[in-house]
């Protein structure tokens, strides 16, 4: 779609703030009222709309997309989404390690174990570490604790955590990003420990480089969104 507007502004309304394009309010893809009480979040949405030049590129508007998801999709599918996000704890990336080569095993331990320790202290969720990639059961009480954390998130936050969990392959990393235990760049690096080690050993092709660049940008955008939501 071509850019059809000239002026982008944030306006205050009775129930919060809206973004106006030439005086007309932006709506979500499902045509819902796009209003937020969080002015900083709406200013970020306005910045994304204003940054479009000739064509409107939705993939270049991550804050707008996540906020729209929180309005259009989360309320209607909240139970299903909570269950899917919480399920990542059962096979969390940080819990599956190697014992060879030793250098990679040590790097996994150094980067991942402090975050698992943090999750145990912060949420009372003691996830167990396993060698290999075959799924193994986690302590039920830990799974319940993390599911309760996900259930407690408001819709705006859940939209960001859902995205981060999927991108990172880890609920623990997503929650650590949410709570600012780690930065977006640290979250990306932690999710790529194995891949980075392999690149150091064998190099990286152009396609893989491009994929990692897109993933890094996505995680950084999700981190910014969560910062805005949490104020």
């Amino acid at each position: 779609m071509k850019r059809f507007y000239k002026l982008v502004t944030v306006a205050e309304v009775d129930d919060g703030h809206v973004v106006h394009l030439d005086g007309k309010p932006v709506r979500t893809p499902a045509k819902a009222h796009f209003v937020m009480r969080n002015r900083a979040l709406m200013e970020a949405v306005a910045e994304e709309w204003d940054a479009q030049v000739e064509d409107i590129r939705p993939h270049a508007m991550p804050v707008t997309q996540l906020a729209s998801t929180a309005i259009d999709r989360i309320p209607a599918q909240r139970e299903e989404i909570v269950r899917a996000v919480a399920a990542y704890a059962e096979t969390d990336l940080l819990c599956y390690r190697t014992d060879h080569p030793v250098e990679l095993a040590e790097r996994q331990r150094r980067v991942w174990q402090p975050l698992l320790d943090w999750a145990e202290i912060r949420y009372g969720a003691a996830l167990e570490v396993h060698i290999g990639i075959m799924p193994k059961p986690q302590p039920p009480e830990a799974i319940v604790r993390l599911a309760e954390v996900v259930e407690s998130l408001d819709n705006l936050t859940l939209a960001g955590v859902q995205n981060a969990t999927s991108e990172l392959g880890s609920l623990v990393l997503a929650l650590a990003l949410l709570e600012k235990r780690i930065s977006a760049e640290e979250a990306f690096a932690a999710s790529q420990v194995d891949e980075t080690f392999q690149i150091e050993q064998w190099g990286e092709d152009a396609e893989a480089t491009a994929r990692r660049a897109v993933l890094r940008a996505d995680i950084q955008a999700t981190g910014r969104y969560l910062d805005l939501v949490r104020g």
Side-chain angles (χ1 to χ4, degrees):
M1 183 168 60
K2 296 291 184 181
R3 175 166 173 158
F4 57 87
Y5 52 90
K6 293 182 178 179
L7 183 63
V8 182
T9 57
V10 176
E12 188 170 349
V13 294
D14 290 343
D15 48 352
H17 301 88
V18 297
V19 172
H20 279 170
L21 307 178
D22 292 340
K24 297 181 179 180
V26 168
R27 291 191 174 273
T28 70
K31 308 303 181 185
H33 190 34
F34 198 159
V35 59
M36 300 282 171
R37 296 195 178 277
N38 185 328
R39 184 177 180 90
L41 181 62
M42 294 308 282
E43 287 176 345
V45 170
E47 288 174 6
E48 291 182 342
W49 281 94
D50 202 30
Q52 306 307 301
V53 185
E54 294 183 0
D55 297 320
I56 297 174
R57 301 168 300 152
H59 68 274
M61 306 169 70
V63 174
T64 302
Q65 287 189 319
L66 287 169
S68 296
T69 296
I71 296 172
D72 285 346
R73 184 163 173 254
I74 300 293
Q77 303 177 35
R78 182 177 171 87
E79 184 177 343
E80 176 186 345
I81 290 170
V82 166
R83 186 165 55 248
V85 173
Y88 271 81
E90 299 173 9
T91 56
D92 199 282
L93 169 71
L94 308 192
C95 297
Y96 291 86
R97 313 279 180 88
T98 186
D99 55 3
H100 183 79
V102 174
E103 295 87 347
L104 176 56
E106 172 57 23
R107 187 177 302 186
Q108 290 175 339
R109 186 201 62 78
R110 186 174 67 251
V111 176
W112 292 348
Q113 192 57 48
L115 294 167
L116 289 180
D117 294 342
W118 168 81
E120 180 176 3
I121 294 169
R122 177 70 179 86
Y123 304 118
L127 295 176
E128 296 178 351
V129 172
H130 303 289
I131 301 299
I133 61 173
M134 294 301 295
K136 295 184 179 180
Q138 288 288 349
E141 60 272 19
I143 300 301
V144 169
R145 292 282 189 179
L146 291 173
E148 290 172 345
V149 173
V150 177
E151 175 62 40
S152 72
L153 302 176
D154 61 71
N155 290 345
L156 279 172
T157 306
L158 180 57
V161 169
Q162 177 195 26
N163 208 53
T165 303
S166 175
E167 291 170 337
L168 297 166
S170 166
L171 177 57
V172 173
L173 283 179
L175 293 174
L177 177 62
L178 170 67
E179 303 242 20
K180 298 187 178 182
R181 168 61 177 77
I182 54 176
S183 67
E185 184 60 29
E186 289 170 330
F188 168 77
S191 74
Q192 295 288 296
V193 166
D194 292 0
E195 290 80 356
T196 300
F197 182 83
Q198 294 302 322
I199 290 168
E200 291 170 357
Q201 306 305 307
W202 310 107
E204 183 178 32
D205 61 37
E207 185 177 342
T209 299
R211 283 199 305 269
R212 278 164 57 94
V214 169
L215 179 61
R216 173 184 265 131
D218 287 347
I219 292 169
Q220 289 173 338
T222 302
R224 178 173 182 247
Y225 169 84
L226 288 171
D227 286 347
L228 289 165
V229 168
R230 295 296 285 252

